[in-house]
Amino acid sequence: MTETVKQTMAALEKNNIKTFYVETKAEVLPIVKSLLNKGDVIACGGSTSVKEAGLMELIENGDYKFYDRNKAGLTNEERENVFAITLNADAYFCSS
């Protein structure tokens, strides 16, 4: 882990944001599963990392309410609604 990553994590934790550092994408899903609860409202950014780590499959097929801003066929109004819901989501996944 680089010094920059350590400093960033420390700054986030100082602001009551829990951080996790993993070396491989295989380590991601167990952590995420431990943090989610049945029925959680989940949204995510347009992250390639979220897809590559298998999170999209988990949240799309899990026992959660997933709001996908990139879902095919959404109208502009529906997409704006997803963005509004995102503000109160239980979990929001993105990458740097």
Side-chain angles (χ1 to χ4, degrees):
M1 178 184 325
T2 67
E3 191 58 38
T4 301
V5 171
K6 289 179 188 176
Q7 290 172 354
T8 301
M9 291 176 72
L12 290 167
E13 297 215 1
K14 186 176 179 181
N15 288 290
N16 297 315
I17 299 172
K18 191 168 185 168
T19 63
F20 300 89
Y21 180 84
V22 298
E23 292 285 339
T24 69
K25 63 184 176 184
E27 298 171 88
V28 174
L29 288 181
I31 293 171
V32 172
K33 285 180 184 179
S34 75
L35 297 171
L36 297 176
N37 298 301
K38 181 178 179 179
D40 275 356
V41 173
I42 300 174
C44 65
S47 170
T48 300
S49 299
V50 168
K51 293 174 189 162
E52 288 177 352
L55 286 178
M56 289 300 291
E57 185 176 335
L58 171 70
I59 58 181
E60 288 175 335
N61 299 311
D63 217 353
Y64 316 109
K65 295 178 184 176
F66 175 52
Y67 291 89
D68 184 1
R69 70 182 192 175
N70 297 314
K71 184 177 178 182
L74 285 182
T75 65
N76 286 338
E77 183 178 341
E78 291 169 328
R79 187 167 283 107
E80 287 176 15
N81 186 48
V82 170
F83 286 130
I85 290 168
T86 296
L87 296 173
N88 292 310
D90 297 302
Y92 184 84
F93 296 103
C94 60
S95 62
S96 57

